[in-house]
Amino acid sequence: MAEKMKSPSVPSPIGESVPRLDALQKVTGEAVFTDDLQFGADLLYGRILRSPHPHARIKRLDASKALALPGVKALVTGDDCKDRFGLYLKDRYTFCKDRVRYVGDPVAGIVATSERLAEQACRLVEVEYEVLEPVLDPVQGAQDGAPLLHPNLKEYIVAPFIFPQHGSNISNYFKLRKGDVEGAWSKCNVIVEGAYRVPHVQHVPIEPHITVAKFDHSGNVTLWASSQSPFAQRDLIAGSLGISPNRVRVISSFVGGGFGSKAGVSMEALAVMMAQKVPGHPVKVRLTREEEFYCSFVRQGLVSNIKIGADEDGTLLAMQTEFYWDAGAYTEYGVNITRAAGYSCTGPYDVPNVWSDSYCVYTNHPVGGPMRGFGMPEIHWGIEQTMDQVAQKLGMDEKEFRLKNCIREGSITPTGSKMHALDLESCILKAAEAIDWGKQEPASAPHKRRGKGIAIMWKAPAMPPNAGSSSIVRFNEDGTVSVGIGGQELGQGSHTVAAQIAAATLGVPMDSIRISYPVDTQYSPYEWQTVASRLTWSMGNAIREAALDARRQILELAAEHWDEQPDDLDLHDGQVISYKSERSEPLKNLVVYGLPKEDDSGWRGGPIIGRGMFMPNYVSALDPETGQGPRAVVHFTPGCQAVDLEVDIETGQITLLRVSSAFDVGKAINPDQVRAQMEGGVVQGASTTLLEHLRLENGVPVNPNFTDYRIASTVDMPLKTIPIIVEVPQDDGPWGARGIGEHSMVPTAPAIANALADAVGLRIHDLPLSAERVFKALRDKEAAT
């Protein structure tokens, strides 16, 4: 069938304008951001015409009326796109070429002298679509005979550790086989099976996506973006344009919240393509809040099937998992989430026999991508509820069951590698103790029920084996230090930790450290991406190496000047000191201009610049048939959360009384920030557990706003959060540190679900645990009895 856009039942294909507050008025009366003034009178604006259909073929596009509007400068469509782009799988064009694959897919871009005019012009573009059958469920989409969303999948360029299944909607299939699962089931005294669902949710950062792009007349590109991945954006955008990365410059200042939504490339490529049509003019593109909900990355949905068996003593013997990831229309990032789920499929348990299949499935839903936890909150939702039921069937305390079976140093992971040093047992004990585990406590009212639950987790940085970091440490004339990095500050405190590491290594006061900013790919040292909770560990190692390099130069210079050995010298409080001769010299006297030789015969030394880099060189490939290999990941961070809650049986409302979080972070470089990450993770985890769900009806988002899509506010927060730091040093981290940023929201949902089951005897398998869902389940349970 053919029809003209747009259907009134779907969100506007170009979004709705949001009033711009701190604005000045042009002579025309058009509102502009004050920040727009930095780009001058040449600044143009772009708006995107988006698909109103989840799946359709583009039959005809006529933009003649739009282009006739005074002030409209350019049109961009899929005909202007050269190559596909993507981080792990190059499966998308910047603008759709022949078909649209989700509501919101970019069909055309209009460049005009104002945003309002660009929106008006978008409404004049006529598009004729042939509506196609959509794929709206990942299990359905993975079956033979399902409509193929990417018929040319076999032509796509893909990373060597991603395995698309040609002729299907499966863009990655990760298999893991360990031991003899089939033989183990007969030895199990208890076997529990369950199916679980996790919906799409949105990151909802305070700052929406916004970017400005400019092509100069020499063909060089400058992109100003709110980005977690300036260097990855440079590489991917250059590849899509068919130009060298040295022709693309990405500048990114502080990011107003990311959580994964601003990793890789999403809408930034749109602005670049539009700017290419108007050389010399910067083009600004921003997502409205409505667009932010379904036109940027969403967290992938998941359907999981879990089967776990244990013997009569409570020892785990076998585990089988099946993960169907609702990855959306394009899976260039989602394929690696599928892989991470596969090699983490047991959760933090020592299981000798494991069988896991993890499928990344194309659907006609918004594009799935990275979100805080990178697949781990989703898989632990089912795993940890099933573990609770195994323990209960055995008559074991849920805490003791986890202590018996949790991963330990020397345990063999699902991929066959030996576990590094960690202390998950202490995490379990401390988290349980903090909420008085085992103590029955009364509810606050007759119509309320109280319960306690526990859940454990693990997570590794999900990244390529060669993801690197680099840093430059440069002394200034007054002895202060400029530290160059490529990692981003998203509010997580990475710059504070960077300054701490540099200051501690150099022996200078922390207030003398300046982090060079903004990140600018033309001048900043390389950083793969600000994702995977890896900056303290990876970038921290690079900073330490750069500072050690600068430190070595200073000590060698002073040793030569004093005729002593570098081993007799040290740096302390901004001075180089000698333990042998007890001499000292302020660093500001030597780090730029050097030191004079005797008898005025010249100078020695010169500007001190330290260089450092870090890249793990020990991560191995995994067998594509079994998922086995010497070392699948750099490390795991484990942890535990325990929840004490009340349920109002008259409304279904859950109130979180106490949530304790204990994580083995290796070494807490900044304990206050570590505790803050734990607290923030609890709140975000509770929000996705109790409230959040991007509702899609036949592929159409129906709640892309804060009226209908609720996130946690102060009234939804736990009455008490208890962060607990456990430290067992990581062998390759700076001072033993490893990441914690994402981990603290991973076990929150199953811990709440387990506490809910303890309180009212309900086992709910689908998120969110909204008051409505809990109330209905309570009534259904009451009716059944």
Side-chain angles (χ1 to χ4, degrees):
M1 61 181 286
E3 62 178 69
K4 292 185 178 181
M5 63 87 65
K6 67 181 171 82
S7 165
S9 62
V10 302
S12 166
I14 57 175
E16 297 298 330
S17 291
V18 176
R20 290 171 288 185
L21 300 179
D22 57 344
L24 301 177
Q25 296 294 317
K26 290 182 179 177
V27 174
T28 61
E30 185 72 27
V32 295
F33 283 124
T34 52
D35 286 348
D36 293 353
L37 300 179
Q38 69 175 298
F39 298 104
D42 289 333
L43 180 66
L44 299 174
Y45 298 83
R47 290 297 293 143
I48 310 302
L49 176 69
R50 299 184 180 277
S51 168
H53 302 292
H55 194 201
R57 186 171 286 111
I58 300 173
K59 302 287 288 183
R60 182 181 64 88
L61 187 151
D62 182 356
S64 56
K65 294 179 182 178
L67 292 171
L69 276 181
V72 171
K73 300 297 183 181
L75 168 77
V76 184
T77 69
D79 292 339
D80 300 298
C81 299
K82 179 177 174 60
D83 293 314
R84 297 182 182 93
F85 72 91
L87 189 63
Y88 299 104
L89 173 66
K90 298 185 185 301
D91 67 349
R92 65 193 300 193
Y93 290 104
T94 305
F95 288 89
C96 300
K97 271 188 173 293
D98 57 348
R99 69 167 78 186
V100 296
R101 294 180 172 90
Y102 72 99
V103 172
D105 217 352
V107 175
I110 293 286
V111 181
T113 53
S114 74
E115 189 177 62
R116 184 180 300 171
L117 178 59
E119 288 185 355
Q120 181 183 351
C122 281
R123 292 189 174 94
L124 295 177
V125 177
E126 297 178 3
V127 184
E128 184 180 343
Y129 296 98
E130 177 188 351
V131 176
L132 303 174
E133 181 184 356
V135 173
L136 303 175
D137 180 84
V139 178
Q140 171 219 347
Q143 307 307 311
D144 292 339
L148 288 183
L149 305 191
H150 289 262
N152 300 323
L153 178 58
K154 65 181 179 181
E155 301 173 6
Y156 296 171
I157 298 171
V158 62
F161 48 84
I162 302 299
F163 304 104
Q165 304 299 294
H166 303 152
S168 77
N169 288 318
I170 300 170
S171 56
N172 187 26
Y173 176 26
F174 184 91
K175 294 187 282 187
L176 191 138
R177 309 288 186 261
K178 176 188 175 186
D180 179 12
V181 174
E182 287 304 316
W185 294 126
S186 62
K187 301 173 185 177
C188 296
N189 291 77
V190 169
I191 297 175
V192 177
E193 297 183 66
Y196 300 84
R197 279 187 175 265
V198 177
H200 293 296
V201 299
Q202 176 49 242
H203 311 69
V204 290
I206 293 175
E207 173 202 42
H209 284 69
I210 187 164
T211 190
V212 177
K214 180 181 178 180
F215 260 82
D216 67 22
H217 293 284
S218 299
N220 297 311
V221 185
T222 303
L223 178 70
W224 293 265
S226 176
S227 172
Q228 296 178 232
S229 312
F231 288 91
Q233 284 187 348
R234 178 186 66 174
D235 183 48
L236 293 172
I237 289 173
S240 71
L241 296 173
I243 63 176
S244 170
N246 71 5
R247 302 279 297 276
V248 179
R249 179 185 181 188
V250 180
I251 302 170
S252 186
S253 190
F254 293 117
V255 177
F259 312 110
S261 71
K262 294 171 183 172
V265 174
S266 55
M267 54 81 73
E268 298 81 13
L270 301 172
V272 171
M273 289 292 299
M274 295 160 85
Q276 192 175 27
K277 285 294 188 81
V278 285
H281 288 271
V283 176
K284 180 178 181 177
V285 179
R286 68 181 179 94
L287 297 189
T288 65
R289 180 55 68 180
E290 177 185 318
E291 289 176 307
E292 191 73 31
F293 273 99
Y294 61 94
C295 299
S296 64
F297 285 136
V298 299
R299 189 172 80 176
Q300 295 187 148
L302 175 65
V303 177
S304 61
N305 299 309
I306 313 289
K307 182 179 180 181
I308 299 174
D311 66 17
E312 61 183 358
D313 295 326
T315 300
L316 288 171
L317 296 183
M319 185 169 180
Q320 185 168 350
T321 60
E322 195 173 39
F323 301 131
Y324 290 91
W325 292 93
D326 187 343
Y330 306 100
T331 66
E332 49 107 358
Y333 219 127
V335 288
N336 198 36
I337 298 172
T338 301
R339 182 175 187 269
Y343 61 64
S344 307
C345 62
T346 59
Y349 294 93
D350 192 345
V351 187
N353 304 289
V354 184
W355 181 294
S356 182
D357 295 302
S358 188
Y359 303 96
C360 188
V361 185
Y362 284 120
T363 66
N364 294 113
H365 285 160
V367 179
M371 184 175 172
R372 191 177 190 179
F374 206 75
M376 297 303 102
E378 298 93 294
I379 69 169
H380 284 77
W381 167 244
I383 292 170
E384 282 300 279
Q385 289 201 71
T386 309
M387 289 294 180
D388 242 37
Q389 294 172 78
V390 172
Q392 290 157 7
K393 279 200 169 188
L394 288 164
M396 288 185 68
D397 177 85
E398 297 87 347
K399 178 195 75 175
E400 296 301 326
F401 177 77
R402 287 172 170 82
L403 286 170
K404 183 179 182 68
N405 290 287
C406 71
I407 203 88
R408 292 170 169 80
E409 181 179 0
S411 297
I412 302 303
T413 69
T415 59
S417 61
K418 186 176 290 188
M419 177 52 63
H420 55 76
L422 49 70
D423 190 1
L424 181 52
E425 295 162 274
S426 288
C427 296
I428 296 170
L429 291 168
K430 290 175 183 293
E433 181 184 14
I435 67 159
D436 300 311
W437 182 267
K439 179 182 177 182
Q440 295 290 331
E441 299 182 75
S444 62
H447 62 284
K448 295 185 177 182
R449 301 291 182 268
R450 190 165 178 174
K452 296 179 181 180
I454 195 168
I456 61 177
M457 61 73 65
W458 67 352
K459 183 190 180 300
M463 61 188 197
N466 58 343
S469 300
S470 59
S471 178
I472 295 173
V473 168
R474 175 173 54 85
F475 275 87
N476 303 309
E477 292 85 344
D478 61 353
T480 58
V481 184
S482 297
V483 177
I485 55 175
Q488 275 289 35
E489 178 58 70
L490 315 175
Q492 81 280 41
S494 61
H495 283 192
T496 301
V497 169
Q500 286 182 265
I501 291 173
T505 307
L506 290 169
V508 300
M510 186 174 163
D511 61 8
S512 69
I513 303 292
R514 300 290 182 271
I515 304 299
S516 300
Y517 215 66
V519 175
D520 184 334
T521 58
Q522 186 164 300
Y523 301 109
S524 300
Y526 176 83
E527 181 64 55
W528 177 62
Q529 295 188 82
T530 302
V531 297
S533 303
R534 58 183 286 281
L535 285 195
T536 297
W537 165 74
S538 182
M539 188 179 76
N541 273 326
I543 293 168
R544 181 161 169 76
E545 287 299 313
L548 286 172
D549 184 31
R551 178 188 179 93
R552 174 190 55 78
Q553 297 173 49
I554 294 169
L555 295 180
E556 289 177 355
L557 172 60
E560 182 184 3
H561 186 67
W562 291 337
D563 193 22
E564 298 185 30
Q565 296 300 313
D567 289 346
D568 293 326
L569 309 182
D570 199 359
L571 301 182
H572 179 72
D573 198 25
Q575 298 191 74
V576 57
I577 61 174
S578 169
Y579 294 117
K580 181 178 180 180
S581 64
E582 299 186 356
R583 283 188 281 192
S584 65
E585 188 74 34
L587 292 179
K588 65 181 181 180
N589 292 349
L590 60 104
V591 290
V592 172
Y593 299 117
L595 292 167
K597 294 181 179 178
E598 298 76 11
D599 303 323
D600 293 328
S601 59
W603 290 75
R604 55 173 60 93
I608 299 295
I609 301 175
R611 171 188 175 275
M613 58 79 65
F614 174 77
M615 186 180 79
N617 56 12
Y618 37 76
V619 177
S620 62
L622 300 179
D623 186 288
E625 295 301 317
T626 66
Q628 299 298 296
R631 189 163 179 175
V633 297
V634 290
H635 60 252
F636 284 94
T637 296
C640 176
Q641 282 181 347
V643 170
D644 177 15
L645 58 72
E646 283 188 337
V647 186
D648 187 327
I649 61 173
E650 295 180 351
T651 66
Q653 185 71 42
I654 293 173
T655 300
L656 301 177
L657 305 176
R658 292 179 290 178
V659 179
S660 61
S661 301
F663 289 86
D664 182 353
V665 302
K667 173 65 177 178
I669 301 294
N670 189 311
D672 285 343
Q673 288 190 171
V674 168
R675 284 186 279 267
Q677 287 295 324
M678 291 187 194
E679 293 167 353
V682 167
V683 174
Q684 193 168 20
S687 185
T688 57
T689 303
L690 303 177
L691 300 170
E692 296 185 47
H693 179 190
L694 181 62
R695 290 189 288 115
L696 301 164
E697 296 181 1
N698 297 317
V700 179
V702 297
N703 62 331
N705 56 74
F706 282 133
T707 300
D708 301 311
Y709 184 104
R710 274 202 62 204
I711 62 173
S713 64
T714 53
V715 299
D716 305 298
M717 293 175 63
L719 301 183
K720 185 177 183 181
T721 57
I722 310 164
I724 303 165
I725 296 172
V726 175
E727 295 178 305
V728 174
Q730 182 64 36
D731 58 358
D732 64 348
W735 291 279
R738 53 177 171 256
I740 182 58
E742 299 169 84
H743 307 76
S744 51
M745 77 170 285
V746 171
T748 311
I752 292 174
N754 291 337
L756 174 66
D758 181 53
V760 295
L762 282 179
R763 184 63 66 179
I764 297 178
H765 289 204
D766 296 357
L767 282 172
L769 300 178
S770 61
E772 295 85 352
R773 177 166 281 160
V774 173
F775 177 80
K776 184 178 184 303
L778 285 168
R779 296 291 81 81
D780 291 345
K781 179 186 176 184
E782 185 180 283
T785 57

mmCIF file of all heavy atoms in Angstrom, residues 24 72 123 160-162 196 231 247 360 364 400 471 515 518 546 594 607 641 683 722 750 756:
data_model
loop_
_atom_site.group_PDB
_atom_site.id
_atom_site.type_symbol
_atom_site.label_atom_id
_atom_site.label_comp_id
_atom_site.label_asym_id
_atom_site.label_seq_id
_atom_site.Cartn_x
_atom_site.Cartn_y
_atom_site.Cartn_z
ATOM 1 N N LEU A 24 18.073 35.840 23.274
ATOM 2 C CA LEU A 24 18.026 37.221 22.802
ATOM 3 C C LEU A 24 17.102 37.262 21.593
ATOM 4 O O LEU A 24 16.762 36.247 21.001
ATOM 5 C CB LEU A 24 19.441 37.671 22.403
ATOM 6 C CG LEU A 24 20.498 37.617 23.523
ATOM 7 C CD1 LEU A 24 21.843 38.029 22.946
ATOM 8 C CD2 LEU A 24 20.119 38.543 24.662
ATOM 9 N N VAL A 72 15.426 29.073 3.121
ATOM 10 C CA VAL A 72 15.830 27.667 3.105
ATOM 11 C C VAL A 72 17.067 27.548 2.222
ATOM 12 O O VAL A 72 17.068 27.984 1.072
ATOM 13 C CB VAL A 72 14.698 26.759 2.586
ATOM 14 C CG1 VAL A 72 15.207 25.339 2.360
ATOM 15 C CG2 VAL A 72 13.538 26.753 3.573
ATOM 16 N N ARG A 123 7.774 20.395 7.035
ATOM 17 C CA ARG A 123 6.360 20.052 6.884
ATOM 18 C C ARG A 123 5.879 20.144 5.431
ATOM 19 O O ARG A 123 4.829 19.605 5.087
ATOM 20 C CB ARG A 123 5.509 20.958 7.779
ATOM 21 C CG ARG A 123 5.715 20.699 9.267
ATOM 22 C CD ARG A 123 4.707 21.464 10.114
ATOM 23 N NE ARG A 123 4.827 21.099 11.516
ATOM 24 C CZ ARG A 123 5.566 21.759 12.406
ATOM 25 N NH1 ARG A 123 6.237 22.833 12.032
ATOM 26 N NH2 ARG A 123 5.635 21.341 13.654
ATOM 27 N N PRO A 160 35.725 -8.196 14.004
ATOM 28 C CA PRO A 160 36.005 -9.636 13.907
ATOM 29 C C PRO A 160 35.393 -10.469 15.026
ATOM 30 O O PRO A 160 35.305 -11.697 14.887
ATOM 31 C CB PRO A 160 37.530 -9.693 13.943
ATOM 32 C CG PRO A 160 37.970 -8.403 14.560
ATOM 33 C CD PRO A 160 36.955 -7.396 14.151
ATOM 34 N N PHE A 161 34.973 -9.843 16.124
ATOM 35 C CA PHE A 161 34.402 -10.612 17.231
ATOM 36 C C PHE A 161 32.873 -10.535 17.265
ATOM 37 O O PHE A 161 32.244 -10.913 18.245
ATOM 38 C CB PHE A 161 34.983 -10.130 18.570
ATOM 39 C CG PHE A 161 34.976 -8.640 18.764
ATOM 40 C CD1 PHE A 161 33.853 -7.981 19.235
ATOM 41 C CD2 PHE A 161 36.113 -7.896 18.463
ATOM 42 C CE1 PHE A 161 33.853 -6.610 19.415
ATOM 43 C CE2 PHE A 161 36.126 -6.511 18.640
ATOM 44 C CZ PHE A 161 34.989 -5.871 19.110
ATOM 45 N N ILE A 162 32.266 -10.035 16.183
ATOM 46 C CA ILE A 162 30.813 -9.969 16.052
ATOM 47 C C ILE A 162 30.401 -10.930 14.929
ATOM 48 O O ILE A 162 31.027 -10.960 13.869
ATOM 49 C CB ILE A 162 30.349 -8.534 15.731
ATOM 50 C CG1 ILE A 162 30.818 -7.563 16.835
ATOM 51 C CG2 ILE A 162 28.842 -8.477 15.569
ATOM 52 C CD1 ILE A 162 30.296 -7.857 18.217
ATOM 53 N N TYR A 196 11.785 -13.836 31.510
ATOM 54 C CA TYR A 196 11.769 -12.466 32.043
ATOM 55 C C TYR A 196 11.833 -11.468 30.901
ATOM 56 O O TYR A 196 12.451 -11.728 29.859
ATOM 57 C CB TYR A 196 12.958 -12.260 32.994
ATOM 58 C CG TYR A 196 12.952 -13.188 34.182
ATOM 59 C CD1 TYR A 196 13.484 -14.474 34.078
ATOM 60 C CD2 TYR A 196 12.389 -12.800 35.390
ATOM 61 C CE1 TYR A 196 13.456 -15.350 35.158
ATOM 62 C CE2 TYR A 196 12.363 -13.665 36.475
ATOM 63 C CZ TYR A 196 12.897 -14.940 36.350
ATOM 64 O OH TYR A 196 12.855 -15.794 37.418
ATOM 65 N N PHE A 231 36.774 11.116 19.846
ATOM 66 C CA PHE A 231 37.687 10.471 18.899
ATOM 67 C C PHE A 231 36.974 9.413 18.073
ATOM 68 O O PHE A 231 37.240 9.268 16.874
ATOM 69 C CB PHE A 231 38.883 9.884 19.648
ATOM 70 C CG PHE A 231 39.820 10.928 20.161
ATOM 71 C CD1 PHE A 231 39.673 11.458 21.436
ATOM 72 C CD2 PHE A 231 40.855 11.406 19.368
ATOM 73 C CE1 PHE A 231 40.526 12.441 21.910
ATOM 74 C CE2 PHE A 231 41.714 12.391 19.831
ATOM 75 C CZ PHE A 231 41.553 12.912 21.101
ATOM 76 N N ARG A 247 41.020 15.290 8.686
ATOM 77 C CA ARG A 247 40.211 16.374 8.118
ATOM 78 C C ARG A 247 39.001 16.680 9.004
ATOM 79 O O ARG A 247 38.220 17.579 8.685
ATOM 80 C CB ARG A 247 39.710 15.978 6.722
ATOM 81 C CG ARG A 247 40.810 15.633 5.728
ATOM 82 C CD ARG A 247 41.432 16.862 5.122
ATOM 83 N NE ARG A 247 40.495 17.634 4.342
ATOM 84 C CZ ARG A 247 40.186 17.378 3.064
ATOM 85 N NH1 ARG A 247 40.717 16.339 2.440
ATOM 86 N NH2 ARG A 247 39.349 18.173 2.405
ATOM 87 N N CYS A 360 21.380 -10.789 19.144
ATOM 88 C CA CYS A 360 21.066 -9.389 18.888
ATOM 89 C C CYS A 360 20.118 -9.347 17.696
ATOM 90 O O CYS A 360 20.495 -9.754 16.587
ATOM 91 C CB CYS A 360 22.337 -8.603 18.587
ATOM 92 S SG CYS A 360 22.104 -6.828 18.489
ATOM 93 N N ASN A 364 11.790 -3.177 14.562
ATOM 94 C CA ASN A 364 11.399 -1.836 14.108
ATOM 95 C C ASN A 364 11.077 -0.936 15.294
ATOM 96 O O ASN A 364 10.052 -0.254 15.334
ATOM 97 C CB ASN A 364 10.229 -1.919 13.138
ATOM 98 C CG ASN A 364 10.603 -2.610 11.843
ATOM 99 O OD1 ASN A 364 10.118 -3.688 11.541
ATOM 100 N ND2 ASN A 364 11.495 -1.994 11.079
ATOM 101 N N GLU A 400 23.180 -16.931 52.258
ATOM 102 C CA GLU A 400 24.113 -18.050 52.407
ATOM 103 C C GLU A 400 24.296 -18.791 51.087
ATOM 104 O O GLU A 400 25.395 -19.267 50.778
ATOM 105 C CB GLU A 400 23.604 -19.008 53.482
ATOM 106 C CG GLU A 400 23.534 -18.400 54.873
ATOM 107 C CD GLU A 400 24.894 -17.898 55.361
ATOM 108 O OE1 GLU A 400 25.919 -18.533 55.017
ATOM 109 O OE2 GLU A 400 24.922 -16.875 56.063
ATOM 110 N N SER A 471 47.946 10.391 27.512
ATOM 111 C CA SER A 471 47.957 11.624 28.300
ATOM 112 C C SER A 471 49.261 12.366 28.079
ATOM 113 O O SER A 471 50.302 11.757 27.768
ATOM 114 C CB SER A 471 47.781 11.295 29.793
ATOM 115 O OG SER A 471 47.840 12.463 30.583
ATOM 116 N N ILE A 515 43.399 20.570 34.385
ATOM 117 C CA ILE A 515 43.031 19.642 33.318
ATOM 118 C C ILE A 515 42.731 20.453 32.064
ATOM 119 O O ILE A 515 41.874 21.346 32.075
ATOM 120 C CB ILE A 515 41.805 18.795 33.705
ATOM 121 C CG1 ILE A 515 42.061 18.053 35.017
ATOM 122 C CG2 ILE A 515 41.452 17.817 32.591
ATOM 123 C CD1 ILE A 515 43.223 17.099 34.985
ATOM 124 N N PRO A 518 38.425 22.370 26.519
ATOM 125 C CA PRO A 518 37.640 21.165 26.261
ATOM 126 C C PRO A 518 38.433 20.095 25.534
ATOM 127 O O PRO A 518 39.562 20.345 25.079
ATOM 128 C CB PRO A 518 36.516 21.695 25.369
ATOM 129 C CG PRO A 518 37.172 22.793 24.596
ATOM 130 C CD PRO A 518 38.100 23.457 25.584
ATOM 131 N N ALA A 546 52.394 9.219 32.094
ATOM 132 C CA ALA A 546 52.869 10.533 31.653
ATOM 133 C C ALA A 546 53.530 11.283 32.802
ATOM 134 O O ALA A 546 54.576 11.927 32.634
ATOM 135 C CB ALA A 546 51.708 11.340 31.086
ATOM 136 N N GLY A 594 64.986 25.274 32.765
ATOM 137 C CA GLY A 594 66.148 24.460 33.079
ATOM 138 C C GLY A 594 66.991 25.067 34.192
ATOM 139 O O GLY A 594 66.554 25.974 34.916
ATOM 140 N N PRO A 607 61.950 22.637 28.778
ATOM 141 C CA PRO A 607 60.552 22.393 29.145
ATOM 142 C C PRO A 607 60.290 20.913 29.414
ATOM 143 O O PRO A 607 60.638 20.051 28.603
ATOM 144 C CB PRO A 607 59.775 22.885 27.926
ATOM 145 C CG PRO A 607 60.680 23.897 27.285
ATOM 146 C CD PRO A 607 62.064 23.375 27.499
ATOM 147 N N GLN A 641 23.850 -5.618 46.425
ATOM 148 C CA GLN A 641 22.892 -4.680 47.007
ATOM 149 C C GLN A 641 21.852 -5.453 47.807
ATOM 150 O O GLN A 641 21.449 -6.559 47.422
ATOM 151 C CB GLN A 641 22.200 -3.834 45.935
ATOM 152 C CG GLN A 641 23.065 -2.703 45.426
ATOM 153 C CD GLN A 641 22.390 -1.845 44.382
ATOM 154 O OE1 GLN A 641 21.353 -2.192 43.842
ATOM 155 N NE2 GLN A 641 22.988 -0.698 44.080
ATOM 156 N N VAL A 683 19.587 5.227 42.827
ATOM 157 C CA VAL A 683 18.440 6.045 42.414
ATOM 158 C C VAL A 683 18.066 5.744 40.968
ATOM 159 O O VAL A 683 16.884 5.549 40.646
ATOM 160 C CB VAL A 683 18.751 7.540 42.604
ATOM 161 C CG1 VAL A 683 17.620 8.390 42.037
ATOM 162 C CG2 VAL A 683 18.958 7.862 44.078
ATOM 163 N N ILE A 722 23.011 3.258 51.778
ATOM 164 C CA ILE A 722 24.190 2.906 52.570
ATOM 165 C C ILE A 722 25.288 2.420 51.628
ATOM 166 O O ILE A 722 25.302 1.262 51.213
ATOM 167 C CB ILE A 722 23.855 1.815 53.606
ATOM 168 C CG1 ILE A 722 22.611 2.201 54.410
ATOM 169 C CG2 ILE A 722 25.048 1.560 54.522
ATOM 170 C CD1 ILE A 722 21.989 1.052 55.164
ATOM 171 N N PRO A 750 16.681 -6.582 40.525
ATOM 172 C CA PRO A 750 16.391 -7.889 41.134
ATOM 173 C C PRO A 750 16.386 -7.860 42.651
ATOM 174 O O PRO A 750 15.638 -8.623 43.279
ATOM 175 C CB PRO A 750 17.503 -8.787 40.592
ATOM 176 C CG PRO A 750 18.597 -7.872 40.180
ATOM 177 C CD PRO A 750 17.901 -6.632 39.702
ATOM 178 N N LEU A 756 10.331 -7.679 47.189
ATOM 179 C CA LEU A 756 8.892 -7.700 46.951
ATOM 180 C C LEU A 756 8.329 -9.102 47.163
ATOM 181 O O LEU A 756 7.280 -9.293 47.796
ATOM 182 C CB LEU A 756 8.593 -7.210 45.535
ATOM 183 C CG LEU A 756 7.137 -7.297 45.067
ATOM 184 C CD1 LEU A 756 6.251 -6.357 45.874
ATOM 185 C CD2 LEU A 756 7.042 -6.973 43.576
#
